[in-house]
Amino acid sequence: IALCEAKESPPAQPTRAPELRFNWKLFWHFLHPHLLALGAAIVLALGAALVNVQIPLLLGQLVEIVAKYTRDHMGSFVSESRKLSVQLLLLYGVQGLLTFGYLVLLSHIGERMAMDMRKALFSSLLRQDIAFFDAKKTGQLVSRLTTDVQEFKSSFKLVISQGLRSCTQVIGSLVSLSMLSPRLTLMLAVVTPALMGVGTLMGSGLRKLSRQCQEQIARATGVADEALGNVRTVRAFAMEKREEERYQAELESCCCKAEELGRGIALFQGLSNIAFNCMVLGTLFIGGSLVAGQQLKGGDLMSFLVASQTVQRSMASLSVLFGQVVRGLSAGARVFEYMALSPVIPLTGGYCIPNKDIRGSITFQNVTFSYPCRPGFNVLKDFTLKLPSGKIVALVGQSGGGKTTVASLLERFYDPEAGSVTLDGHDLRTLNPSWLRGQVIGFISQEPVLFATTIMENIRFGKLDASDEEVYTAAREANAHEFISSFPDGYSTVVGERGTTLSGGQKQRLAIARALIKQPTVLILDEATSALDAESERVVQEALDRASAGRTVLVIAHRLSTVRAAHSIIVMANGQVCEAGTHEELLKKGGLYSELIRRQTLDASLTSTPP
Ligand code: ADP
Ligand code: MG
């Protein structure tokens, strides 16, 4: 993920940023179930802020009593100050309670919203067209689910809690300031904005530095991620040293940047400390002369000091908040972007042919197709192909000729631009896609993908309500039962992430079992054995031959030895059918197929010739 972000986001951001707008309507959709809680949180936060404004005033009165007592030594200090102290204690208690209340409410709302947003985003991502995923990096999609939702949530919470509090405190304290001493307030009103301006300028420089730091960290993480994730390749090429150096180089520039940031923050902190202290001193000095001139009470000066500190702190946190709001809005825009996107090919809806009527004959009629992410490049041109019910048809041709594309169209991962694909005379576009993929077509590809769960669950992926018995039967059919049973945990063996703990042949047999358990009418084998060694190929081929009996089968292969048994062989070139017939017919014809055969037997004899 980090790798993708580090490499992808710098070029992607500038092109995407301007058009990406925050979707307020969707935000409202997620917010409105929590309006009551939100209202309560706002009221509590406002209350807490107002109490915060009150506290310095009371403190000032208390100081006034202390001052009076030190001056006159008359009456009882305790009895005079008791009422005020109790009031203050009460206010502290109320303030604590209110803070507790609105934080609990906000975290409730924030977490609920984040969960709902993640759910909605995940399900809308899962529903997108395959073409969508061709154009996107998975890492980016996942980071929308994680980082962006997280960022949006914390911004939202901050805006309500801190933003509301800070605003109220600024306004409230300003009111009390001007009531306490208009003159001092005027002085503050001149100095504070100037200081804030300088601070904001420095702050934005620091933020930029911090962003660069983050990017550099992501770059370093990317290097580590790539090296650790592909450790076999690194080992095989003895590249440990080079990877180490690459990581070290990235880390070092990371460290430099971070130190620079650290120095910047230190300078900022030092300067702002000086500024704040000078302001306190200035207030005391000017206020003191007012007190000396009987224009201000000592206690009021105290109140003024505390209140002005509150204003300064609140304004500082508002400026931080502003940056957070900008980040939160753009994170939210990224989260909502794909929620509003609806796929061209729906997942469900459409006709389901009743089980007894399915024959499984398939026709590609004058299909023209180009991938949406590469428009204008026709992978299939006026392509016509018939898969008769219950027969095996082999599709051969050069790599890149469009064979897998044919399979993808049959799965309806894409729709053709012109022409049609039909199943038993029904255009695929009128059929229910989930039913088609889930129950009619079994697809076995060159590189089977397994999920990081048990073998049992992996096979059951083909049919969620399958009984254990059905799983065993499918595994037997796929020549997999034996090797599964030989594992100590049998069917409960957990396969590693992407099935790394199994051999290629074993993975492929699990994939076959997974496809067979749904008893598909149509079977697509896309180079199903071409990644396997000779021995595994034999076992897998045996399973495939058995599975092919009685089904409509499309065998895609470049190794021609595997397609001889097919009822007919189609040779593809340049997105069109250029020859069709049985093995013998095509050999006799002496065209492309016999040329391919000649070349492959030549290769085979060359590689197997004893030295
Ligand atoms: P084959 O299976 O015969 O090797 P494919 O059907 O996989 O060939 O690919 C046919 C052509 O389509 C190739 O030129 C390939 O680069 C292109 N292609 C395949 N998949 C995609 C995709 N998802 N997006 C864009 N182009 C693709
Ligand atoms: Mg292919």
Side-chain angles (χ1 to χ4, degrees):
I1 296 163
L3 178 72
C4 290
E5 282 196 334
K7 296 238 165 106
E8 301 305 324
S9 53
Q13 223 78 23
T15 53
R16 204 179 48 191
E19 61 197 81
L20 209 57
R21 305 226 357 244
F22 187 79
N23 192 330
W24 290 99
K25 220 176 108 195
L26 268 175
F27 175 54
W28 175 248
H29 167 80
F30 287 103
L31 186 63
H32 91 259
H34 309 293
L35 280 185
L36 205 68
L38 183 66
I42 289 178
V43 168
L44 293 187
L46 276 178
L50 287 176
V51 172
N52 268 353
V53 175
Q54 286 300 311
I55 287 173
L57 296 179
L58 288 184
L59 276 179
Q61 289 176 24
L62 194 62
V63 169
E64 188 62 25
I65 294 175
V66 175
K68 198 178 112 208
Y69 189 70
T70 28
R71 207 166 48 231
D72 308 340
H73 295 285
M74 263 170 36
S76 157
F77 172 71
V78 177
S79 65
E80 253 190 87
S81 64
R82 179 179 293 139
K83 199 173 133 237
L84 261 180
S85 307
V86 170
Q87 267 182 359
L88 266 171
L89 270 179
L90 262 178
L91 280 187
Y92 289 155
V94 169
Q95 205 264 0
L97 265 180
L98 291 174
T99 308
F100 172 80
Y102 80 76
L103 283 181
V104 165
L105 281 172
L106 273 185
S107 103
H108 166 83
I109 302 168
E111 296 308 327
R112 293 274 144 172
M113 256 178 31
M115 181 179 72
D116 292 343
M117 281 163 69
R118 287 200 169 110
K119 280 186 196 164
L121 179 58
F122 185 61
S123 59
S124 81
L125 281 177
L126 274 184
R127 277 167 178 65
Q128 294 304 320
D129 291 323
I130 297 290
F132 170 88
F133 293 97
D134 288 345
K136 302 284 187 295
K137 291 265 178 297
T138 357
Q140 285 182 351
L141 299 182
V142 172
S143 87
R144 292 193 185 214
L145 269 177
T146 52
T147 343
D148 286 336
V149 171
Q150 183 72 22
E151 178 104 6
F152 180 73
K153 180 187 73 185
S154 35
S155 307
F156 171 79
K157 291 200 319 202
L158 267 181
V159 166
I160 305 290
S161 61
Q162 277 206 29
L164 216 59
R165 201 181 61 206
S166 301
C167 282
T168 325
Q169 284 179 185
V170 167
I171 295 170
S173 300
L174 278 178
V175 169
S176 36
L177 282 182
S178 57
M179 275 172 7
L180 286 167
S181 165
R183 275 215 222 167
L184 274 180
T185 310
L186 204 66
M187 182 203 90
L188 269 187
V190 175
V191 181
T192 310
L195 281 181
M196 291 285 298
V198 176
T200 312
L201 225 66
M202 280 186 81
S204 81
L206 286 180
R207 262 202 294 280
K208 198 169 129 211
L209 211 58
S210 143
R211 201 162 44 239
Q212 287 172 354
C213 237
Q214 295 289 326
E215 278 163 17
Q216 187 54 37
I217 291 174
R219 225 165 293 155
T221 315
V223 171
D225 192 44
E226 195 180 39
L228 294 178
N230 302 318
V231 73
R232 284 190 168 75
T233 314
V234 174
R235 186 68 48 90
F237 284 86
M239 294 288 265
E240 290 88 352
K241 192 97 199 107
R242 201 192 78 118
E243 292 299 317
E244 250 168 46
E245 282 162 8
R246 230 156 55 98
Y247 186 58
Q248 278 164 9
E250 297 291 358
L251 267 192
E252 261 152 43
S253 67
C254 215
C255 185
C256 283
K257 272 263 176 288
E259 278 189 63
E260 200 181 326
L261 179 66
R263 279 195 298 273
I265 292 176
L267 183 69
F268 182 79
Q269 291 277 342
L271 282 181
S272 59
N273 279 358
I274 293 178
F276 276 129
N277 287 332
C278 282
M279 282 188 57
V280 174
L281 186 63
T283 314
L284 266 180
F285 189 74
I286 301 179
S289 59
L290 288 178
V291 172
Q294 304 277 318
Q295 287 171 296
L296 190 67
K297 279 193 278 181
D300 285 350
L301 180 58
M302 167 71 192
S303 302
F304 191 91
L305 265 180
V306 179
S308 69
Q309 293 281 299
T310 310
V311 173
Q312 279 158 10
R313 254 184 291 124
S314 303
M315 281 171 94
S317 78
L318 276 181
S319 82
V320 172
L321 201 66
F322 180 71
Q324 183 72 38
V325 168
V326 173
R327 277 202 302 280
L329 282 179
S330 68
R334 283 197 294 277
V335 173
F336 293 141
E337 185 187 9
Y338 296 145
M339 276 186 212
L341 200 65
S342 48
V344 180
I345 303 175
L347 279 192
T348 50
Y351 182 61
C352 304
I353 305 172
N355 262 347
K356 58 176 176 30
D357 297 338
I358 299 183
R359 305 193 50 254
S361 77
I362 284 161
T363 314
F364 282 69
Q365 195 67 51
N366 305 105
V367 169
T368 298
F369 175 75
S370 60
Y371 280 97
C373 66
R374 210 181 285 166
F377 173 69
N378 280 345
V379 178
L380 299 181
K381 293 180 273 277
D382 205 22
F383 177 82
T384 299
L385 170 73
K386 268 193 171 42
L387 306 181
S389 162
K391 293 275 181 345
I392 303 177
V393 173
L395 196 58
V396 301
Q398 290 140 332
S399 152
K403 304 183 295 295
T404 300
T405 308
V406 171
S408 303
L409 287 176
L410 190 48
E411 281 266 27
R412 208 175 164 217
F413 288 162
Y414 309 91
D415 279 334
E417 271 159 47
S420 64
V421 185
T422 56
L423 167 66
D424 294 341
H426 299 274
D427 193 314
L428 290 195
R429 280 170 287 209
T430 63
L431 296 175
N432 182 327
S434 285
W435 167 80
L436 178 76
R437 296 167 191 144
Q439 295 183 32
V440 181
I441 298 177
F443 182 69
I444 294 162
S445 69
Q446 179 174 357
E447 278 170 35
V449 174
L450 300 178
F451 290 85
T453 169
T454 60
I455 288 180
M456 185 68 120
E457 289 307 311
N458 264 294
I459 297 178
R460 202 174 266 148
F461 201 76
K463 185 182 171 198
L464 294 181
D465 55 356
S467 65
D468 287 3
E469 211 40 60
E470 282 177 90
V471 172
Y472 302 146
T473 313
R476 275 198 199 94
E477 255 187 286
N479 266 355
H481 182 72
E482 215 165 303
F483 85 79
I484 299 172
S485 310
S486 74
F487 290 153
D489 292 337
Y491 281 80
S492 317
T493 309
V494 174
V495 304
E497 212 175 313
R498 285 167 193 275
T500 39
T501 51
L502 296 175
S503 80
Q506 292 172 334
K507 268 194 279 188
Q508 193 58 287
R509 280 178 277 164
L510 288 191
I512 294 170
R514 180 173 65 185
L516 290 184
I517 199 168
K518 53 182 171 185
Q519 301 282 2
T521 319
V522 180
L523 203 56
I524 305 173
L525 310 174
D526 188 358
E527 316 239 6
T529 57
S530 54
L532 303 180
D533 57 276
E535 173 55 20
S536 324
E537 182 180 357
R538 196 187 55 75
V539 190
V540 171
Q541 191 60 50
E542 195 184 293
L544 288 177
D545 289 344
R546 198 173 328 143
S548 300
R551 295 197 161 99
T552 306
V553 184
L554 176 65
V555 189
I556 296 173
H558 69 247
R559 214 176 294 173
L560 302 175
S561 55
T562 54
V563 302
R564 273 183 206 164
H567 295 108
S568 73
I569 298 171
I570 312 287
V571 185
M572 259 187 101
N574 301 320
Q576 277 175 318
V577 175
C578 72
E579 279 176 8
T582 62
H583 178 66
E584 282 73 25
E585 284 168 8
L586 289 175
L587 268 190
K588 219 178 288 162
K589 196 172 160 202
L592 196 59
Y593 183 76
S594 63
E595 172 67 21
L596 288 173
I597 287 277
R598 201 181 57 79
R599 251 189 273 158
Q600 284 200 357
T601 37
L602 200 66
D603 285 351
S605 62
L606 275 181
T607 48
S608 60
T609 313

